[in-house]
């Protein structure tokens, strides 16, 4: 299952970032699992491996695991200056020239509703800004 591979990677990332507890939506695992502190690397590594083993063993049993999807909004905020956003009003990164963001992550915050139409409008706007750029010659 690719979903299980993704869950394993997410658990490893959260643990490496210093998470104190990690949980999944697999009901039989009982919610959040506390991890030993980062000052105890062996115990922490064992707890992470035990959690991953339990996640893989449990899998995604029908009606016993909640699977959801969300629209990530505001994680790459559009702003009028580099202090107020990650990308400018054209969707181009303030930090990396030629890198554009054309999705809901450029929202200033979560809209609280389905962002489909607004996301399409942003993508259309950013695409038009990219079209206006001078073409680069092929090397």
């Amino acid at each position: 299952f690719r979903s299980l591979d993704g869950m394993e990677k997410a658990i490893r990332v959260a643990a490496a970032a210093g998470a104190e507890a990690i949980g999944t939506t697999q009901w039989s695992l009982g919610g959040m699992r506390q991890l030993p502190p980062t000052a105890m690397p062996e115990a922490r590594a064992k707890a992470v491996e035990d959690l991953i083993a339990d996640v893989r063993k449990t899998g995604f049993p029908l009606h016993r695991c909640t699977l959801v999807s969300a629209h990530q909004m505001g994680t790459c905020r559009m702003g009028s200056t580099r202090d107020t956003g990650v990308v400018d009003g054209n969707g181009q990164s303030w930090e990396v020239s030629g890198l554009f963001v054309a999705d809901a992550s450029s929202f200033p915050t979560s809209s609280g509703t389905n962002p489909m139409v607004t996301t399409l409008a942003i993508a259309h706007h950013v695409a038009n800004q990219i079209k206006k750029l001078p073409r680069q010659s092929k090397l």
Side-chain angles (χ1 to χ4, degrees), residues 81-102:
T81 69
R82 66 178 55 243
D83 293 329
T84 61
V86 176
V87 297
D88 66 17
N90 295 324
Q92 184 167 205
S93 167
W94 290 104
E95 298 292 324
V96 181
S97 179
L99 174 64
F100 290 83
V101 176

Side-chain angles (χ1 to χ4, degrees), residues 1-9 26 55-56 58-61 67:
F1 256 140
R2 287 187 180 163
S3 295
L4 288 172
D5 293 340
M7 286 180 73
E8 176 180 342
K9 288 179 175 131
Q26 295 163 299
V55 164
R56 288 194 170 279
T58 301
F60 297 106
L67 296 177

Side-chain angles (χ1 to χ4, degrees), residues 65-85:
C65 181
T66 305
L67 296 177
V68 296
S69 176
H71 304 283
Q72 302 306 313
M73 294 177 254
T75 57
C76 208
R77 178 181 303 214
M78 187 179 284
S80 58
T81 69
R82 66 178 55 243
D83 293 329
T84 61

